[in-house]
Amino acid sequence: MTVLGSFTLTSHGATVPLGVDARRLVAYLAVHPRPQERASLAADLWPGIAAEAAARLLSDAIAAVDVPGLLTEDGPTLSLAADVEVDLADALGLVRGLPEIPVDDTPDISLLAADILPGWTASWIAVERERFRQLRLHAVEERSLRLSAAGLHAEAVALAESAVKAAPSRESARRALIEAHLAQGNIAAAVAQYDDYRELLRSSVGGPDPSGLDGLLPPAPVWPVLRARRPMPRSAVQIPGLRSVRGGGGGRRLVAGGSVPGTTR
C-alpha cells in the first residue's frame, strides 16, 4: 500500500479499487499502524457527526473493504493485518536507519521525496503529514552534511537541493545547501542561496535578514586573521581569502580579496 504521494492499494499485483469511505479508513490505518479504538477512529474519520451515526458509517466502511486479510479486528480495536506492507513504514525505517548507513553507500532515499497524501485535507492527515515532513527533511539535511564532511560534494549538494525544493523557507535546509556549496568551493552558488533565502523571507513574511545563517558568512575582512583570533562556528566552512561585507542596504555579501569596496588599502 502507498500513502506517500498518492493512495494505492495493491493485492497480488493488481490495484484494488475502494469507495471513498473505505479508502479513508484504510489510509487512516496505514498512517496509524497501532490498533485503533473503533470509537475514536469513527470520531476522527467523521468529525462533527453524532457518535452513533459515525459508528454506523465505520461499520459500513469496514464491510466495503472487500480484501480478505487486509483488516484485523480485535475486540474494540481495528488495524491493518501485520503482513500488509506500507510505504510510509518503510520510509520511517529509512529515516531511523540513515544515520548508520556509511556515507560511501548510496541508499535509495526516493521514499523521502513525497508527503503523506498531498491534497487530502482531513485534520488527522495534516498532523501526520507535517510530522513526517519534519522527520524526512531533517534526515536529508543531516545526510547532506555528512556527505560534505566526507568530501562527496556533488552528492551533498543534490540532497540539500532536494530539501530546499521541498521546503524553500526552511532555514536548516538552506544552511545545509550553503554549507555544501562552500565545501565544494562554489562560493557564487552559496551567496546566491543566501540572497534567495533573504529575498524569500522579505517577500513572503516581511521578515528580517536570515541572521541564523550569519555564522556561515563571517564579518572579519581577512580570514587568516579571524581564524587566528577566534574559533569558527562549528557549522562554518573556512575558505581563505573569503570575507563578508554589508552593503548600503544592510545586506551581507561574500567577496574575495582583502579590502572592502570603496576603501583604499
Side-chain angles (χ1 to χ4, degrees):
M1 183 187 309
T2 67
V3 293
L4 298 179
S6 63
F7 177 86
T8 306
L9 176 61
T10 304
S11 178
H12 301 291
T15 301
V16 178
L18 293 175
V20 173
D21 285 347
R23 184 167 63 249
R24 291 169 62 206
L25 167 62
V26 172
Y28 187 103
L29 296 176
V31 175
H32 301 84
R34 294 181 179 177
Q36 301 294 310
E37 293 284 343
R38 292 174 66 111
S40 60
L41 176 57
D44 277 352
L45 289 175
W46 293 279
I49 296 179
E52 291 184 0
R56 288 194 298 270
L57 290 171
L58 176 59
S59 295
D60 292 342
I62 293 172
V65 180
D66 189 19
V67 183
L70 181 64
L71 303 180
T72 296
E73 296 186 69
D74 184 9
T77 66
L78 187 68
S79 63
L80 294 180
D83 59 349
V84 176
E85 297 180 357
V86 180
D87 61 349
L88 176 58
D90 294 338
L92 290 172
L94 177 59
V95 166
R96 291 189 293 268
L98 200 57
E100 307 302 323
I101 299 176
V103 291
D104 54 353
D105 286 353
T106 54
D108 181 6
I109 62 170
S110 58
L111 284 174
L112 305 184
D115 283 327
I116 297 174
L117 300 172
W120 290 36
T121 57
S123 58
W124 62 266
I125 297 175
V127 171
E128 295 301 324
R129 180 188 295 139
E130 182 59 23
R131 173 178 172 273
F132 175 65
R133 184 170 179 266
Q134 295 296 328
L135 288 172
R136 68 185 178 88
L137 289 176
H138 178 73
V140 168
E141 292 160 5
E142 288 297 310
R143 182 73 178 179
S144 175
L145 294 175
R146 289 181 63 203
L147 290 169
S148 282
L152 301 173
H153 303 305
E155 295 87 343
V157 167
L159 270 187
E161 284 177 339
S162 71
V164 168
K165 182 178 179 180
S169 62
R170 183 179 169 92
E171 182 174 308
S172 56
R174 294 282 181 164
R175 172 182 291 275
L177 182 52
I178 290 172
E179 290 196 13
H181 281 313
L182 289 175
Q184 192 178 32
N186 195 343
I187 300 171
V191 174
Q193 283 298 323
Y194 182 91
D195 288 344
D196 285 348
Y197 184 54
R198 181 179 60 187
E199 183 58 31
L200 175 64
L201 293 182
R202 288 179 176 176
S203 62
S204 60
V205 297
D209 285 350
S211 58
L213 300 180
D214 280 354
L216 301 178
L217 314 178
V222 182
W223 278 71
V225 173
L226 173 66
R227 292 164 64 185
R229 292 183 177 178
R230 63 180 183 181
M232 291 292 296
R234 181 185 61 82
S235 61
V237 179
Q238 300 183 10
I239 302 177
L242 177 66
R243 59 192 171 77
S244 173
V245 299
R246 295 191 178 275
R252 185 186 294 274
R253 294 291 191 277
L254 287 176
V255 296
S259 63
V260 177
T263 65
T264 58
R265 297 180 62 183

